[in-house]
């Protein structure tokens, strides 16, 4: 089976059902099918064949969905590019992926030749709405998604039809997504959070989706109250912003919502607690990566434990490994290893990097975690974020979680800075509100942590630099 075989449950089986709302326009699943058929016919007219690549540099729009579906129908490899990327980042991806076609909203950074989206729309809408999909299988590459590249040049993760299929079926099943759901999607489609989770859950379940060009916190209240969704996927920064909504609006939203899901960056326990108090819902936190899509999730039925990511999803094996290659014991910290049909087939043109990323079939995530005696997994931070001070290991997330629980602290990031005798020392960057008191915060840290974990400086900043999906880019923090 390939993706189109699965999506036909909605594209053909629910062809007359309301499928999508975008900028005031409404589409049925049949409309989406026909539009993507036209796009597939355009690909054929350009000589694209199975295995060729297209790069897409556009913001959220219906055409982005058309392009992805047309790629799946023709066997072309779909490569979304973060629209926040500048010349260096775009140049690297295009040079590395060697696409046959590049599609962009406007001028492409770096001066690369591209087809403008407005010109593409004019060409495509004259083409035939019938198309017979090319025969592909589950192992056929469907997409090449580049990692965020915060520690070097980004690598392209090869995601197959089977990767997407297993991921989508898992989420629709475990989160009980059905065609009666109303799904509000405000995440960028260039990222797997929206593409692999959002779009796939929508097409598999046949629910009705409203797509936003972007999340705008000033408009969030109106979007929720007018569309009245039952399902929402977000990142921590979105939920932090939603806490600013008036209590009566939050209560109204909570009454028609069924499920709030959070991922792509750690959700603090404090945010989860505050959200429950205001909206009446426990946010469901889960854990995934570009290379593996979704791995682990808190349960839909059962305890959604603050600070944890829950249990492995069906068919996925997870183990916590020590540096010496032994399996970690209960509550013993180690690196999270993942194996399953969701795991990518390798890095594009990076054979050695692919080999180095696997041990006996398990993908080494680079995330550190522990497993409780009842099976809940808790992430402790990135292995690469580890601060070693005087021979002691410090994981920034532990300190960050505590800091965000303190009065006056809105967000926090902890990094290591060089130190002559101890190697590194932790420093905290704080986004504060009017209730912030630096002396009280430092005193609280002294009462809570061992001396080597206490930040040696608390630096107040207006905001933390983040990726489009909310991950803090610690290397961009101002130097202390």
């Amino acid at each position: 089976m390939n993706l189109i075989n699965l999506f036909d449950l909605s594209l053909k089986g629910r062809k007359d059902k309301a499928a999508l709302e975008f900028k005031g326009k409404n589409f049925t699943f049949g409309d989406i099918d026909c539009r993507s058929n036209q796009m597939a016919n355009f690909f054929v007219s350009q000589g694209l064949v199975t295995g060729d690549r297209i790069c897409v540099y556009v913001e959220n729009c219906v055409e982005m969905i058309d392009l992805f579906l047309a790629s799946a129908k023709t066997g072309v490899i779909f490569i979304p590019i973060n629209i926040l990327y500048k010349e260096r980042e775009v140049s690297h991806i295009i040079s590395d992926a060697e696409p046959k076609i590049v599609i962009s909203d406007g001028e492409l950074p770096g001066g690369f030749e591209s087809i403008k989206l407005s010109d593409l729309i004019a060409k495509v809408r004259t083409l035939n709405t019938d198309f017979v999909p090319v025969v592909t299988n589950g192992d056929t590459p469907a997409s090449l998604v580049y990692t965020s590249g915060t520690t070097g040049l980004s690598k392209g993760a090869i995601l197959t039809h089977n990767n997407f299929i297993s991921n989508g079926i898992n989420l629709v099943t475990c989160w009980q997504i059905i065609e009666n759901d109303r799904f509000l999607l405000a995440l960028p489609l260039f990222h797997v959070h929206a593409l692999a989770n959002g779009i796939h859950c929508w097409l598999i379940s046949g629910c009705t989706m409203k797509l936003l060009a972007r999340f705008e916190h000033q408009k969030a209240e109106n979007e929720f109250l007018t569309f009245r969704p039952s399902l929402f996927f977000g990142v921590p920064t979105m939920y932090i912003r939603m806490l600013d909504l008036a209590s009566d609006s939050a209560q109204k939203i909570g009454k028609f919502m069924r499920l709030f899901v959070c991922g792509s960056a750690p959700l603090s326990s404090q945010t989860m607690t505050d959200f429950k108090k205001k909206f009446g819902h426990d946010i469901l936190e889960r854990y995934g990566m570009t290379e593996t899509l979704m791995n682990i999730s808190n349960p839909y039925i059962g305890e959604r434990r603050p600070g944890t990511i829950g249990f492995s999803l069906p068919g996925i094996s997870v183990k916590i490994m020590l540096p010496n290659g032994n399996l970690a014991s209960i509550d013993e910290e180690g690196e999270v290893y993942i194996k399953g049909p969701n795991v990518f087939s390798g890095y594009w043109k990076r054979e050695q990097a692919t080999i180095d990323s696997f041990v006996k079939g398990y993908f080494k995530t680079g995330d550190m975690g522990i497993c409780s005696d009842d099976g809940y997994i808790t992430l402790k931070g990135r292995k690469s974020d580890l601060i070693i001070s005087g021979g002691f290991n410090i994981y920034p997330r532990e300190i960050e979680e505590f800091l965000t629980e303190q009065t006056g602290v809105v967000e926090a990031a902890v990094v290591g800075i060089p130190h002559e005798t101890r190697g590194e020392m932790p420093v905290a960057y704080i986004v504060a509100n009017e209730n912030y008191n630096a002396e009280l915060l430092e005193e609280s840290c002294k009462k809570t942590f061992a001396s080597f974990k206490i930040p040696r400086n608390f630096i107040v900043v207006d905001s933390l630099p983040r990726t489009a999906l909310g991950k803090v880019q610690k290397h961009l923090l101002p130097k202390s």
Side-chain angles (χ1 to χ4, degrees):
M1 176 176 277
N2 61 34
L3 279 170
I4 298 304
N5 300 142
L6 187 60
F7 293 161
D8 276 347
L9 292 172
S10 294
L11 297 177
K12 300 193 184 305
R14 302 181 177 101
K15 64 179 182 179
D16 297 323
K17 182 183 181 295
L20 177 66
E21 179 183 334
F22 181 73
K23 291 187 174 180
K25 294 183 179 180
N26 295 283
F27 306 87
T28 65
F29 282 108
D31 294 333
I32 299 298
D33 193 25
C34 289
R35 290 171 61 96
S36 58
N37 282 343
Q38 290 178 311
M39 192 68 75
N41 281 314
F42 172 74
F43 284 4
V44 171
S45 74
Q46 299 300 298
L48 293 174
V49 297
T50 299
D52 283 342
R53 292 155 309 282
I54 65 160
C55 283
V56 180
Y57 184 83
V58 301
E59 70 172 16
N60 284 6
C61 58
V62 185
E63 287 74 25
M64 184 79 156
I65 296 171
D66 298 337
L67 287 161
F68 176 70
L69 287 174
S71 298
K73 289 179 177 183
T74 57
V76 167
I77 301 174
F78 179 81
I79 307 170
I81 301 178
N82 187 328
I83 60 171
L84 301 180
Y85 280 177
K86 305 303 182 185
E87 180 176 344
R88 179 179 181 276
E89 298 149 317
V90 172
S91 298
H92 165 65
I93 291 174
I94 291 176
S95 299
D96 191 63
E98 300 179 295
K100 287 286 184 71
I101 288 177
V102 180
I103 297 158
S104 65
D105 271 331
E107 293 300 321
L108 197 65
F112 290 93
E113 183 178 344
S114 66
I115 298 173
K116 304 301 180 288
L117 187 62
S118 56
D119 295 335
L120 176 64
I121 293 169
K123 293 176 182 177
V124 167
R125 295 299 162 243
T126 64
L127 299 178
N128 198 315
T129 58
D130 293 324
F131 184 81
V132 178
V134 170
V135 176
T136 57
N137 60 45
D139 293 329
T140 302
S143 187
L144 192 57
V145 183
Y146 279 77
T147 59
S148 56
T150 55
T151 57
L153 290 175
S154 59
K155 301 186 288 291
I158 305 168
L159 297 169
T160 67
H161 283 248
N162 271 346
N163 293 152
F164 284 123
I165 287 171
S166 65
N167 183 75
I169 291 174
N170 266 351
L171 301 189
V172 167
T173 302
C174 293
W175 297 345
Q176 297 190 12
I177 302 173
I178 59 174
E179 63 178 299
N180 289 336
D181 271 316
R182 293 176 64 78
F183 177 30
L184 182 63
L185 183 61
L187 295 160
L189 294 175
F190 58 70
H191 192 275
V192 291
H193 193 159
L195 184 66
N197 300 350
I199 296 301
H200 288 69
C201 286
W202 165 56
L203 288 170
I204 295 169
S205 69
C207 65
T208 299
M209 179 175 77
K210 181 172 185 178
L211 178 68
L212 303 182
R214 66 190 66 83
F215 180 82
E216 298 175 88
H217 69 274
Q218 305 93 331
K219 299 179 181 179
E221 179 178 353
N222 183 63
E223 295 289 2
F224 273 93
L225 292 176
T226 54
F227 182 64
R228 296 178 64 84
S230 57
L231 181 65
F232 180 74
F233 293 173
V235 297
T237 49
M238 293 181 180
Y239 290 112
I240 291 169
R241 289 291 196 174
M242 287 174 67
L243 288 173
D244 292 334
L245 267 62
S247 294
D248 60 339
S249 295
Q251 290 169 13
K252 289 177 184 177
I253 292 168
K255 287 179 180 177
F256 54 70
M257 277 293 301
R258 179 179 68 80
L259 179 62
F260 291 97
V261 180
C262 185
S264 294
L267 178 70
S268 74
S269 299
Q270 190 62 48
T271 299
M272 189 169 176
T273 300
D274 292 345
F275 197 89
K276 172 65 179 292
K277 184 177 180 180
K278 196 160 195 175
F279 287 83
H281 283 262
D282 288 311
I283 298 170
L284 188 153
E285 188 173 13
R286 85 304 177 278
Y287 163 64
M289 303 180 70
T290 299
E291 292 94 336
T292 64
L293 307 179
M294 291 306 100
N295 304 307
I296 300 168
S297 172
N298 268 274
Y300 179 72
I301 302 296
E303 180 189 3
R304 299 174 194 170
R305 189 173 296 174
T308 78
I309 50 174
F311 311 99
S312 60
L313 289 163
I316 298 171
S317 299
V318 177
K319 59 183 180 180
I320 312 295
M321 300 299 294
L322 300 175
N324 61 11
N326 292 334
L327 195 65
S329 302
I330 296 300
D331 290 328
E332 187 176 18
E333 195 172 282
E335 184 175 358
V336 180
Y337 283 28
I338 302 288
K339 182 172 71 172
N342 57 313
V343 178
F344 76 137
S345 60
Y347 291 113
W348 178 256
K349 297 195 296 189
R350 300 287 194 282
E351 183 178 356
Q352 191 58 49
T354 301
I355 292 170
D356 293 343
S357 297
F358 287 86
V359 173
K360 296 180 180 179
Y362 279 82
F363 176 67
K364 301 185 293 183
T365 67
D367 286 312
M368 305 300 289
I370 60 174
C371 185
S372 66
D373 57 3
D374 59 355
Y376 279 82
I377 295 171
T378 300
L379 295 182
K380 307 300 287 184
R382 290 290 294 170
K383 188 176 180 180
S384 57
D385 285 345
L386 177 69
I387 300 169
I388 303 177
S389 182
F392 294 104
N393 289 352
I394 304 170
Y395 287 98
R397 185 175 178 182
E398 178 188 10
I399 305 170
E400 291 162 355
E401 283 272 341
F402 174 77
L403 292 175
T404 56
E405 294 170 2
Q406 307 311 302
T407 301
V409 178
V410 180
E411 295 181 275
V414 174
V415 300
I417 60 169
H419 188 271
E420 283 186 12
T421 59
R422 299 190 66 82
E424 289 181 297
M425 298 287 271
V427 168
Y429 291 82
I430 305 291
V431 178
N433 63 26
E434 65 278 3
N435 298 315
Y436 178 71
N437 184 308
E439 291 182 5
L440 287 179
L441 183 62
E442 185 172 4
E443 196 60 34
S444 296
C445 288
K446 289 179 179 178
K447 292 178 180 177
T448 304
F449 294 120
S451 59
F452 66 87
K453 291 184 181 180
I454 300 169
R456 290 309 184 264
N457 199 2
F458 297 86
I459 303 168
V460 176
V461 294
D462 292 334
S463 62
L464 301 178
R466 294 180 180 273
T467 68
L469 267 291
K471 290 182 180 178
V472 176
Q473 296 176 294
K474 292 184 175 181
H475 64 292
L476 298 179
L477 287 165
K479 302 303 180 185
S480 60

